Amino acid sequence: MTVVLEKSNIPKLTEALSRQYLVVDYEKDKTALSVKGYFLAPREKLFSFFSKTKKLSVRSSPKRKLLLFGLDLADIEALGQLDEIMTKPREDYFYLRKRRNSLIVGVVEHSITMPVATGDLILEKINPSQYRAVSLTKAGQEIVKNKFFKKEKNPEILIYPEEKSNLRELAQDSELLAEAVSWARVKNHPIWEKLEKICLGCGICAYVCPICHCFSMEDEIEIDGSASHRCRYWDACVLNNFSRVAGGKNFRPALKNRYFNWFYHKFVRAYKEYDNSQCVGCGRCQKYCPAEIDIEKVLSEIIRDYEKSLSAPTG
Amino acid sequence: MTNDKKLKLGLFDFTDCEGCQVELVGLKEKLLALSERVDIVNWRLGQAKAQWEQFDIALIEGTPLTPGEIDLLKIIREKSRLLVGLGTCATLGGIPAILDKEERQQWYNKIYGPEYEGRGVDALPLSAYVKIDFLIHGCPISGNEAARIFSDLINGKKLNYKDYSVCFECKLANLPCRLLEKKPCLGPIAQGACGAICLKGGSACYGCFGIKEGANVGALLTILNKFASEEEIENYFSMFHNKSKLYDHR
């Protein structure tokens, strides 16, 4: 038996779910931002200290769970990576308490060929009017109990190949990427200087990335002195003060080094620490860079030259 | 904190539209909270009390346009421990700095006749005359950002700018990128914390919060040159930066 959902019932389903959950119908083409901000907010007060009571307080979680509806496979994969990053080696309390108070429903417009490891429920397109429902967690099974889901013996199952994306394919080969980017650093590949001349250092690539997770902390004090708040906000490694430490020393004063760090963290360090490149090829940084820097072309150039160097005679 | 230990604050204005002071007044409860914690000893626009003793903090709005105003600025500097520029006229020269000597002479002739002897000088950032300790940029300033800086100041924190450009708040507001639409914008090189207010209102960013430290101005010019004329680019950079040193980056 296959659990199916009629496409035409999707709006009714989300409406029904919104009685129980805080439903966000995530439409990728309507925003530059990924869903990471729901868990790692662009700016948030983590906890507050009150001068009168001399006590710390953490904001309470909302009673209703958040349900993110409509993520595609790349975004689900990215969220899975972010979950891992925020869990190992140390748990990020503030991220995880929001994440644990949420449900993820993926809507995949092509046939799934690899098992999906993150999310609660996946709706996979099987024919022009139906989705197959695959629940991955208990919460997902609960959703499937909704009256809009039907069990069918032999629904029509068509094959919808995933739209080909060079960047997504590139991102899969994390070992090659790690080697090539490392090599490009050691060899001081001219691409870093080329990028330094065109990169605006605005940070948009990191803001729109579903996996970039670097943040900074800062204490905000109420002007009347009644309370202070420990705040965190998104940082981005291309920003001028990203590598500035206490005392004022900036370890990466040149944009070239900061921009390189973005690549190094994503493709080299991430591979060493998590066995992945921290890129799922979603294409946001490609699409939203105001300087039109195309990460796919940058990576391809690095890989091409790296592979050339491997085949070149040594000596 | 006892009364006599309160920081003494003076707020002065030179040539400008006084819009930044209006933003301060618009802080309402936050302004009252500030006035509880500091002793505002001189503020022409806000109160009758006007003492001329030493100031712990002097806020200067606007920029001097007459020799008399320049002298007064120097006197205030001598009397102040910290001198803080308030608003883009003070911090960069801003709107008054769009006009320069030759143009001013033409307008004198037109408005007052050829007999008139003008006393005005070109508008320059305050830093052209005296040492400035911190700049609160904006045309007008953002009330909330100014309140944050005041709070840091009276609570003894080191003053700093947010380390992001205008793009951060523009992206959070889910606005389309003007540069990608081939429309000029200084957002990527402009100091953020304004809330991307101009972009939210459908305008470009003209960088009234100043050029962000370490900004890649050359890279932006390369992009602008692809679709904007020299004159258009000049207009964008001269809106607030006509006389600021940063203009020389071009």
Side-chain angles (χ1 to χ4, degrees), chain A residues 30-32 42-43 196-200 207 218-219 221 223 225 239-242 244 255 287 289 291-292, chain B residues 33 37 147 151 154-155 157 162-165 167-169 172 174 177 180 182 188 213-214 216 219-220 223:
Chain A
K30 292 207 174 142
T31 170
R43 274 188 294 218
E196 180 179 46
K197 288 202 182 81
I198 52 176
C199 170
L200 293 162
Y207 301 147
E218 146 183 282
D219 288 346
I221 310 166
I223 200 159
L239 299 179
N240 192 53
N241 288 335
F242 181 81
R244 182 160 287 167
L255 182 57
K287 192 173 167 189
C289 171
E292 297 182 72
Chain B
R37 299 197 67 196
S151 178
I154 55 180
N155 287 300
K157 270 184 74 174
K162 297 283 184 184
D163 187 28
Y164 51 75
S165 72
C167 298
F168 178 54
E169 287 167 322
L172 293 188
N174 199 25
C177 177
L180 289 176
K182 313 281 176 234
E213 189 188 351
N216 198 350
L220 181 66
I223 295 169

Side-chain angles (χ1 to χ4, degrees), chain B residues 1 6 43 47 51 57 73 75 128 150 162 209 236 244:
Chain B
M1 207 182 272
K6 279 185 180 175
W43 183 14
Q47 64 188 33
Q51 294 171 2
I57 306 159
L73 172 64
I75 292 168
F150 294 147
K162 297 283 184 184
F209 264 51
Y236 273 77
S244 77

Side-chain angles (χ1 to χ4, degrees), chain A residues 283-298:
Chain A
R284 286 186 180 88
C285 59
Q286 235 174 346
K287 192 173 167 189
Y288 296 107
C289 171
E292 297 182 72
I293 296 175
D294 185 339
I295 189 176
E296 183 185 317
K297 286 187 186 146
V298 173

Side-chain angles (χ1 to χ4, degrees), chain B:
Chain B
M1 207 182 272
T2 56
N3 216 23
D4 48 294
K5 275 190 182 163
K6 279 185 180 175
L7 297 172
K8 291 190 191 318
L9 185 141
L11 209 164
F12 306 92
D13 51 82
F14 294 114
T15 299
D16 62 353
C17 75
E18 297 179 343
C20 294
Q21 292 185 76
V22 173
E23 282 294 311
L24 286 188
V25 173
L27 282 173
K28 295 180 277 190
E29 291 84 356
K30 282 185 183 171
L31 178 63
L32 291 177
L34 176 71
S35 69
E36 291 284 311
R37 299 197 67 196
V38 298
D39 189 6
I40 302 177
V41 294
N42 197 325
W43 183 14
R44 182 187 62 80
L45 201 77
Q47 64 188 33
K49 187 173 166 187
Q51 294 171 2
W52 281 95
E53 53 207 64
Q54 295 288 308
F55 309 109
D56 290 301
I57 306 159
L59 295 171
I60 313 263
E61 188 206 49
T63 192
L65 278 194
T66 63
E69 284 186 327
I70 296 172
D71 291 342
L72 183 56
L73 172 64
K74 289 178 178 164
I75 292 168
I76 297 168
R77 171 72 271 187
E78 277 172 26
K79 286 176 175 289
S80 311
R81 198 161 56 81
L82 278 176
L83 198 69
V84 178
L86 186 75
T88 304
C89 298
T91 61
L92 303 171
I95 298 293
I98 297 175
L99 198 68
D100 54 27
K101 234 175 249 152
E102 293 72 32
E103 270 178 294
R104 185 177 300 106
Q105 198 52 53
Q106 284 172 24
W107 287 106
Y108 281 156
N109 288 342
K110 197 167 179 180
I111 298 168
Y112 302 111
E115 309 289 291
Y116 181 76
E117 278 181 45
R119 291 170 300 138
V121 295
D122 280 359
L124 297 171
L126 297 181
S127 55
Y129 306 106
V130 292
K131 176 178 167 279
I132 304 292
D133 299 294
F134 196 74
L135 304 171
I136 302 176
H137 296 285
C139 185
I141 56 161
S142 143
N144 284 333
E145 175 67 355
R148 174 189 76 87
I149 293 166
F150 294 147
S151 178
D152 286 357
L153 193 61
I154 55 180
N155 287 300
K157 270 184 74 174
K158 187 172 178 285
L159 297 184
N160 58 21
Y161 297 109
K162 297 283 184 184
D163 187 28
Y164 51 75
S165 72
V166 171
C167 298
F168 178 54
E169 287 167 322
C170 184
K171 273 286 146 292
L172 293 188
N174 199 25
L175 299 169
C177 177
R178 286 180 59 95
L179 291 175
L180 289 176
E181 292 180 338
K182 313 281 176 234
K183 295 179 197 159
C185 184
L186 304 192
I189 60 162
Q191 172 62 45
C194 55
I197 186 167
C198 293
L199 293 135
K200 284 176 185 165
S203 165
C205 169
Y206 291 84
C208 74
F209 264 51
I211 303 296
K212 195 180 176 312
E213 189 188 351
N216 198 350
V217 182
L220 181 66
L221 285 171
T222 309
I223 295 169
L224 293 177
N225 276 318
K226 285 182 194 162
F227 54 79
S229 66
E230 274 289 313
E231 196 193 347
E232 207 178 347
I233 297 171
E234 171 79 22
N235 281 342
Y236 273 77
F237 275 88
S238 60
M239 177 79 97
F240 296 112
H241 298 275
N242 205 24
K243 291 285 161 59
S244 77
K245 274 187 193 161
L246 297 152
Y247 191 50
D248 298 338
H249 281 238
R250 276 157 60 81

